[in-house]
Amino acid sequence: MSGSSPAARLQQLFEGRRLTPTQRRIAHSMVRRAGDAPFLSSVELAELAGVSQPSVTRFAVALGFDGYPALRRHLREVSPAGAAEGGGDDTYNEYQQAVLGEIENLRHLAELLADPGPVERAGRLLAASRPLPVLGLRAASSQARGFGYFAAKVHPDVRVLDEGGSMLHDRIDVARRAGATALICFALPRHPREVVDALAYAREQGLTVVSVADSAFAPVAAHSDLLIPAAVGTGLAFDTACAPMLLGRVLLESMCDALPDAQARLEEFDARAAARSLFVE
């Protein structure tokens, strides 16, 4: 485990644990601040997660430790040699730190993709769904639109759901009646309640939910059949989402592999684009 990223080590620690919603919130906060986690006091972690200090203690016990100090000692022991609070970040300005944080997120994603099974399964589910609803609200709406834009080049019926409100459940109903079997959701902080409710409703209607979220402990996890995490950067005033965007492209690739006519559709689009002089070379 020593060769993996801090976020990967935390994910491995939490993997397979039956955690309460409050405990998942604490775990999510630790993953988002993976580099700092071994140095946070129980009070600091409680403030970061928005929970009580006793909840942090109960969380550590649920993971099999005598208490939070034992959990923190464990995290320090498995940290890379020479790691210390601050990690030398003071040699970089805040913009460089934000970029380096995203590089770390991408490294973690690369480690996750060493097992291609979940992505390949997701690709098959998405390719088989006709139509294919793509859900993403607020901060995740750009992820949903970007995925939908490219997916429509190879998938015959893609429906982007990037607006909330009372019509959202109606649009899920319409897609289900038209034959949809799966839905892909992009879920990023802060997580809108509408997204969680929409996923619960989609599963009630028989749809298989594939989610791209910033953590395996994100609120959408309880309503996802297959969740693939990709961390967001938190070093700037607004979160950055390079890893979720790249994961979306990876899922597109997997979906193309499961669509026998994907290459023909792409070539057809290129021919039409050339005939219309759509792009400037």
Side-chain angles (χ1 to χ4, degrees):
M1 233 175 19
S2 61
S4 59
S5 69
R9 288 192 295 274
L10 284 171
Q11 293 280 11
Q12 291 167 4
L13 178 63
F14 304 144
E15 200 170 74
R17 304 284 184 173
R18 295 182 63 85
L19 302 177
T20 68
T22 295
Q23 290 166 352
R24 287 198 300 269
R25 187 171 181 175
I26 298 169
H28 174 59
S29 297
M30 291 182 73
V31 170
R32 293 188 69 191
R33 293 283 298 275
D36 298 330
F39 311 102
L40 295 173
S41 69
S42 60
V43 173
E44 289 171 331
L45 180 56
E47 291 177 352
L48 182 65
V51 301
S52 66
Q53 190 274 337
S55 293
V56 172
T57 300
R58 289 192 291 271
F59 168 73
V61 172
L63 294 178
F65 297 94
D66 292 336
Y68 181 72
L71 169 59
R72 190 167 63 172
R73 280 196 301 273
H74 171 76
L75 295 179
R76 290 179 176 180
E77 288 169 1
V78 300
S79 294
E85 187 168 10
D89 283 348
D90 54 358
T91 61
Y92 300 102
N93 63 45
E94 61 179 312
Y95 311 122
Q96 291 175 297
Q97 288 179 36
V99 173
L100 292 171
E102 284 289 36
I103 291 172
E104 182 65 20
N105 289 340
L106 291 172
R107 286 199 183 102
H108 179 208
L109 179 59
E111 293 169 5
L112 184 73
L113 295 176
D115 175 10
V119 166
E120 291 172 350
R121 180 189 169 204
R124 292 191 296 269
L125 288 168
L126 303 181
S129 184
R130 310 289 175 89
L132 173 60
V134 181
L135 174 63
L137 303 183
R138 294 187 180 268
S141 62
S142 60
Q143 304 290 328
R145 287 194 296 270
F147 183 93
Y149 171 79
F150 289 111
K153 296 183 184 300
V154 294
H155 192 288
D157 191 352
V158 176
R159 305 185 184 186
V160 175
L161 311 179
D162 60 351
E163 294 182 3
S166 61
M167 294 291 290
L168 183 54
H169 284 200
D170 294 344
R171 296 177 70 189
I172 291 173
D173 281 336
V174 169
R176 184 69 183 96
R177 287 197 300 269
T181 55
L183 175 151
I184 180 169
C185 172
F186 290 87
L188 301 177
R190 300 170 64 184
H191 295 274
R193 184 179 302 277
E194 276 185 295
V195 170
V196 177
D197 293 343
L199 293 190
Y201 182 74
R203 293 182 83 196
E204 288 173 6
Q205 303 311 305
L207 292 176
T208 299
V209 172
V210 176
S211 291
V212 171
D214 57 303
S215 165
F217 308 98
V220 298
H223 304 292
S224 301
D225 296 285
L226 175 59
L227 185 150
I228 306 176
V232 300
T234 59
L236 301 176
F238 299 102
D239 289 345
T240 50
C242 295
M245 182 183 71
L246 181 54
L247 178 54
R249 300 298 187 269
V250 169
L251 288 170
L252 280 167
E253 184 76 10
S254 179
M255 188 179 75
C256 286
D257 291 341
L259 288 167
D261 58 347
Q263 187 58 40
R265 286 179 176 272
L266 287 173
E267 290 174 0
E268 180 184 354
F269 172 80
D270 285 342
R272 290 200 308 268
R276 296 165 55 195
S277 299
L278 195 58
F279 302 111
V280 176
E281 297 298 334

